[in-house]
Amino acid sequence: MSSAISPLAGKQVEPSQLINTPRLVTDYFVLKPDVNIPAQRVAFGTSGHRGSAFDAAFNEAHILAISQAICEHRKAAGVDGPLFIGKDTHALSEPAFASAIEVFAANGVDVRVDADLAWTPTPVISHAILCWNRGRDSGLADGVVITPSHNPPEDGGFKYNPPHGGPAGADITDLIQNRANDIIRGGLADVRRMPFARAMASGHVQRHDYVTPYVADLGAIIDLEAVRNAGVRIGVDPLGGAAVRYWGPIFERYGLNGTVTNDAVDPTFRFMTVDHDGKVRMDCSSPWAMARLIDLRERFDVAFANDTDADRHGIVAPSVGLLNPNHYLTVAIAWLFANRPQWGAHVGVGKTVVSSSAIDRAVARLGRRLVETPVGFKWFVDGLIDGSLGFVGEESAGASFLRRDGGVWATDKDGLIAGLLAAEMTARSGKDPGELYRDLTREIGEPVYARIDAPANAAQKAVLKAITPEQITRDTLGGEPVTARLSRAPGNNEAIGGVKVTTENGWFAARPSGTEDVYKIYAESFLGEDHLKQIQAEAQDIVSACFKAGGAA
């Protein structure tokens, strides 16, 4: 199993690790993908198309084709309002932005770009879409965010959000990716395009103030008056990402005692500390990538960070350092449902199948409904829009929740509100989120959670993806009777792309990686580290038996 920690982990990025940005951008334009090679095709995962220009996996041809496919989808779907577009601070986001603008304008799409052509977080685009569409039946808006999220500096990403404001479902992304690959295969002959300067002057591209409306609306979702009155000392590290332009206006508008600990933006991300595997990654849930802010925790009552498109959060508390993402999701749920009296009794909680069972126990304690879905934020969109899900979250430090009055805020993950909620907790309780979580575990138990990787070739990954509960014949796990064997999520009966096995005090889930020759084992125990290791070992035995039965040993 893969769990080794690099000797570079938590240390300042070394000069030898910095990307060659000019070469990366040059490769974006000069390398031509071959769609007969799977790794060079357009492929929409749970967060859009991602890849590196170095590998001919994120290049001009990809973005031209995807943008044209989006234009064709909009026309077929009758989406004729503005398209809100945002980008993060990765090096490839800038040329991809230019490519997309050239295509959108040539197709007559009315595009809203940042007033300063600067960076825009994912949740701000979702919020803008929903605000535009509120009360409308026609002229609906949609959006694009150019970001590979927390991925390394050499990566690029491109994702589409339809009029509901959240990540597009497979019914849309499959159409876009397949059409884009056909366009590339046809030599881009179907792409309508005009030069960037002409596109910007065409009348189809309008500059838009994204910052002010989003910042002005934050009081509708967070009790910022309490944060101001308590004088909570807040520290924020944007990790060189799109949120860097938002925290100053937030602190100023609401009179908060906030400090941005690092406002540098550099596409090499040379100011980062190295992640667990020796890579540069802006992962705000990683204690290695977050080492600088963790070291500063005594200066603040609460601190937090976001990844480069600010859809993730990392919460640092003086009492515990960096909170495990599952711990913060759990305590956030407990806090919100105790402090949002306008949320009705019908309002429930959404979580992914690989998130902590501490959430299950916290939700049961509240007497609320739990909806457990496969991995992917798209599964939560409808519940947020109709107000039936008050809080939704993923184990990878992504979450969103309703406004204080129970209305929808955003249908994509929002790392800014997650951080500000931690400040609200601290202000109103007098305890930081780590202390609040410790208090909660006295009632629900204290879990131990981990994700590890195990080797798997393509044939084995195919077996795991298609596994059924009947293939799991084992009756015990970690010395306890098995209570459920799942290949579909109980909240919506959708395939989880793997298997989950549960007991009273533990569980594991196994899913194949979409990019590496490994499968991921998520596991948790409420009985301690030794029990967790037992579950992990037995999980690998169970999966290996399935490989053998499937002829892929």
Side-chain angles (χ1 to χ4, degrees):
M1 294 188 187
S2 173
S3 58
I5 303 300
S6 167
L8 298 175
K11 298 178 181 178
Q12 185 81 28
V13 174
E14 296 185 353
S16 62
Q17 294 179 281
L18 301 179
I19 61 167
N20 183 335
T21 305
R23 180 188 157 204
L24 179 69
V25 174
T26 299
D27 282 355
Y28 172 84
F29 290 105
V30 302
L31 294 187
K32 309 301 179 186
D34 180 352
V35 292
N36 294 314
I37 301 173
Q40 295 183 18
R41 294 175 190 156
V42 173
F44 272 74
T46 56
S47 297
H49 174 73
R50 294 182 183 177
S52 175
F54 288 148
D55 304 322
F58 190 93
N59 301 78
E60 182 184 41
H62 295 109
I63 305 310
L64 295 175
I66 293 170
S67 300
Q68 182 63 43
I70 288 173
C71 292
E72 294 174 9
H73 164 73
R74 293 181 98 243
K75 185 175 181 180
V79 179
D80 55 4
L83 185 147
F84 293 97
I85 187 168
K87 62 185 175 185
D88 77 356
T89 55
H90 276 77
L92 288 173
S93 295
E94 201 67 48
F97 172 80
S99 299
I101 292 297
E102 292 178 355
V103 174
F104 291 146
N107 281 269
V109 174
D110 290 328
V111 184
R112 301 290 189 272
V113 301
D114 179 78
D116 299 318
L117 299 184
W119 316 288
T120 309
T122 286
V124 175
I125 295 296
S126 179
H127 181 268
I129 294 169
L130 293 178
C131 288
W132 175 274
N133 290 340
R134 188 176 296 130
R136 295 177 186 267
D137 295 318
S138 61
L140 298 180
D142 55 1
V144 161
V145 187
I146 303 172
T147 174
S149 189
H150 63 289
N151 278 25
E154 64 268 24
D155 283 4
F158 199 96
K159 58 185 180 180
Y160 174 68
N161 287 27
H164 60 50
D171 57 328
I172 295 176
T173 57
D174 286 352
L175 288 172
I176 292 172
Q177 88 174 14
N178 293 339
R179 175 58 178 146
N181 285 320
D182 285 343
I183 290 171
I184 296 172
R185 195 173 285 111
L188 303 177
D190 290 342
V191 173
R192 299 181 64 184
R193 181 183 187 188
M194 65 172 64
F196 183 74
R198 217 172 96 207
M200 291 297 294
S202 67
H204 290 298
V205 181
Q206 295 183 29
R207 295 180 183 247
H208 178 78
D209 179 4
Y210 281 112
V211 178
T212 302
Y214 178 86
V215 171
D217 209 13
L218 283 168
I221 192 166
I222 303 291
D223 187 354
L224 293 171
E225 184 178 351
V227 178
R228 180 184 68 244
N229 292 342
V232 176
R233 296 172 300 156
I234 302 169
V236 178
D237 188 345
L239 300 184
V244 69
R245 299 173 61 243
Y246 285 73
W247 290 112
I250 290 170
F251 295 155
E252 182 178 355
R253 182 180 184 94
Y254 295 99
L256 306 183
N257 183 13
T259 301
V260 175
T261 63
N262 178 32
D263 61 1
V265 175
D266 181 336
T268 67
F269 295 90
R270 67 180 68 240
F271 45 76
M272 286 297 300
T273 49
V274 178
D275 205 0
H276 68 97
D277 56 358
K279 293 184 178 182
V280 182
R281 191 181 285 113
M282 287 58 70
D283 184 354
C284 50
S285 67
S286 163
W288 297 277
M290 288 279 283
R292 289 180 312 156
L293 191 58
I294 294 170
D295 286 345
L296 298 175
R297 66 185 180 275
E298 297 299 335
R299 287 177 47 188
F300 306 107
D301 298 314
V302 68
F304 37 87
N306 302 117
D307 63 345
T308 50
D309 68 319
D311 69 343
R312 288 176 159 209
H313 58 268
I315 310 300
V316 175
S319 62
V320 296
L322 180 67
L323 268 78
N324 177 290
N326 279 304
H327 297 179
Y328 185 64
L329 297 182
T330 304
V331 76
I333 290 165
W335 177 265
L336 284 166
F337 281 88
N339 291 278
R340 294 298 186 267
Q342 290 181 271
W343 292 7
H346 70 288
V347 177
V349 173
K351 60 162 273 192
T352 59
V353 293
V354 294
S355 299
S356 174
S357 286
I359 294 173
D360 305 49
R361 296 187 179 193
V363 173
R365 169 180 169 271
L366 292 163
R368 297 283 178 161
R369 179 175 59 99
L370 180 68
V371 177
E372 190 172 359
T373 74
V375 173
F377 215 75
K378 63 186 179 183
W379 303 115
F380 301 134
V381 169
D382 290 345
L384 288 168
I385 288 176
D386 66 20
S388 62
L389 294 178
F391 181 97
V392 295
E394 297 181 321
E395 81 297 335
S396 55
S400 189
F401 46 93
L402 298 179
R403 294 168 180 264
R404 294 161 75 182
D405 65 4
V408 61
W409 168 261
T411 45
D412 216 326
K413 295 171 284 192
D414 191 335
L416 290 92
I417 62 169
L420 290 170
L421 181 66
E424 178 191 312
M425 292 181 197
T426 304
R428 293 182 56 182
S429 72
K431 297 180 179 181
D432 71 41
E435 293 170 312
L436 292 173
Y437 176 74
R438 267 203 305 249
D439 292 346
L440 183 61
T441 60
R442 295 188 183 102
E443 297 183 49
I444 65 172
E446 189 166 359
V448 184
Y449 176 103
R451 197 204 93 184
I452 56 177
D453 296 338
N457 58 36
Q460 291 170 330
K461 290 196 293 182
V463 168
L464 181 55
K465 189 172 183 179
I467 203 167
T468 63
E470 292 74 24
Q471 293 173 264
I472 309 295
T473 58
R474 193 160 180 157
D475 294 325
T476 63
L477 177 69
E480 293 188 311
V482 169
T483 55
R485 303 171 182 84
L486 305 170
S487 62
R488 292 186 172 272
N492 60 3
N493 201 37
E494 294 286 346
I496 63 177
V499 66
K500 182 176 182 179
V501 179
T502 68
T503 69
E504 181 181 357
N505 290 297
W507 59 271
F508 84 86
R511 300 176 63 247
S513 168
T515 57
E516 302 175 88
D517 288 332
V518 299
Y519 69 92
K520 303 171 184 179
I521 301 173
Y522 306 80
E524 184 173 50
S525 169
F526 280 84
L527 301 179
E529 288 280 358
D530 290 343
H531 188 238
L532 175 67
K533 291 177 181 176
Q534 184 180 355
I535 290 174
Q536 290 171 327
E538 292 180 17
Q540 192 172 23
D541 290 343
I542 290 170
V543 174
S544 295
C546 291
F547 289 162
K548 185 175 181 180

